[in-house]
Amino acid sequence: MVDDKNLQLENPENKNLTPEKVEGEIKKIESVLLGGKEMTPERRETLTEKEGKGTEEKPKTIPFAAGLSDIGEAETRRKEREEKIGKILETGMEEVYLSLPADKQREFKARGEATTREINKLLGKVKVKAEKIVYLIKKWLSIIPGVNKFFLEQEAKIKTDEIMKLKER
C-alpha cells in the first residue's frame, strides 16, 4: 500500500503515473492473488501478524540434490539400452562390414552409431512406431553396395523385432 502521497514515481514510458493509480494496480494484483477477494485492513493485519509470529506456512522446497540420483539412473538405463540396440544392429554384420572398402566401413560405422542413437530416442518415447525403426535400419543398410532389396527388408524386420522386445521389457 502506498502511504506517501508525495512519493514521486519515475516511469519514462508513462508520465501520468500517480500514487493513486499505483494503489489501484496494487489492489487489483492483491485481488487476483487472493482469488477475487479484496484485501481489507483486517486481513492485511492478520497476514502481517502471522508473518511476525513465524506461523506463516512456507512453500515446500525440494532440495537441489533430490532427484539427481533418479536422473543418473535414467541416464544409465538409457546408455545400457543404447548398447543393447548397437549389439542387435551389429549381429550378423561382421562379414558385410569386413568386405566393405575402408571409406565405406567408416561411413557404415558412423551411420550405424547414428541409427542406434535415433532408435534409442524412439524407444524413450511412450508410443513407438516400428515402421520408423524399420526405415532407419533400411536406410543404414542401404550403404552396402549392391545389397539385395529382399535381404535389406528381411534384416530390417528381424532387427526391428529384436529391438521392440527391448521396449516391452
Side-chain angles (χ1 to χ4, degrees), residues 5-164:
K5 299 294 181 189
N6 297 326
L7 180 67
Q8 292 189 1
L9 301 171
E10 292 183 29
N11 186 353
E13 292 129 8
N14 188 358
K15 300 280 184 187
N16 298 327
L17 195 60
T18 64
E20 291 80 23
K21 288 182 180 179
V22 171
E23 183 71 30
E25 291 299 315
I26 291 173
K27 284 183 180 179
K28 285 180 190 175
I29 293 169
E30 287 175 342
S31 173
V32 169
L33 292 175
L34 293 171
K37 300 175 186 171
E38 188 177 324
M39 178 63 82
T40 62
E42 296 83 25
R43 183 171 285 150
R44 184 180 307 280
E45 206 170 287
T46 56
L47 287 175
T48 53
E49 283 176 11
K50 283 183 182 179
E51 288 172 4
K53 294 179 183 175
T55 57
E56 179 186 318
E57 222 178 281
K58 294 181 181 177
K60 295 180 181 178
T61 58
I62 300 172
F64 177 73
L68 288 181
S69 62
D70 294 340
I71 294 171
E73 289 174 19
E75 185 69 21
T76 303
R77 285 193 303 265
R78 186 191 63 75
K79 285 182 180 180
E80 287 173 0
R81 186 177 61 210
E82 192 168 307
E83 288 174 10
K84 290 177 184 177
I85 293 168
K87 287 182 181 177
I88 291 171
L89 290 180
E90 67 187 32
T91 303
M93 293 290 120
E94 297 86 14
E95 288 181 35
V96 173
Y97 179 77
L98 294 173
S99 68
L100 294 173
D103 61 329
K104 284 286 185 182
Q105 282 182 350
R106 284 190 295 276
E107 182 184 355
F108 189 75
K109 184 177 179 183
R111 183 89 59 92
E113 290 169 354
T115 301
T116 301
R117 285 189 299 273
E118 283 295 315
I119 291 172
N120 196 22
K121 284 181 189 176
L122 289 174
L123 289 182
K125 295 182 179 180
V126 175
K127 192 173 182 180
V128 180
K129 292 189 177 182
E131 298 89 37
K132 287 185 179 180
I133 296 174
V134 169
Y135 170 77
L136 289 170
I137 294 172
K138 284 169 61 175
K139 188 175 171 184
W140 169 59
L141 292 175
S142 66
I143 294 173
I144 304 168
V147 68
N148 185 335
K149 177 182 167 183
F150 300 107
F151 168 79
L152 195 85
E153 192 75 32
Q154 183 180 9
E155 280 298 309
K157 286 185 179 181
I158 291 170
K159 291 181 185 305
T160 300
D161 289 341
E162 290 296 315
I163 290 170
M164 292 302 286

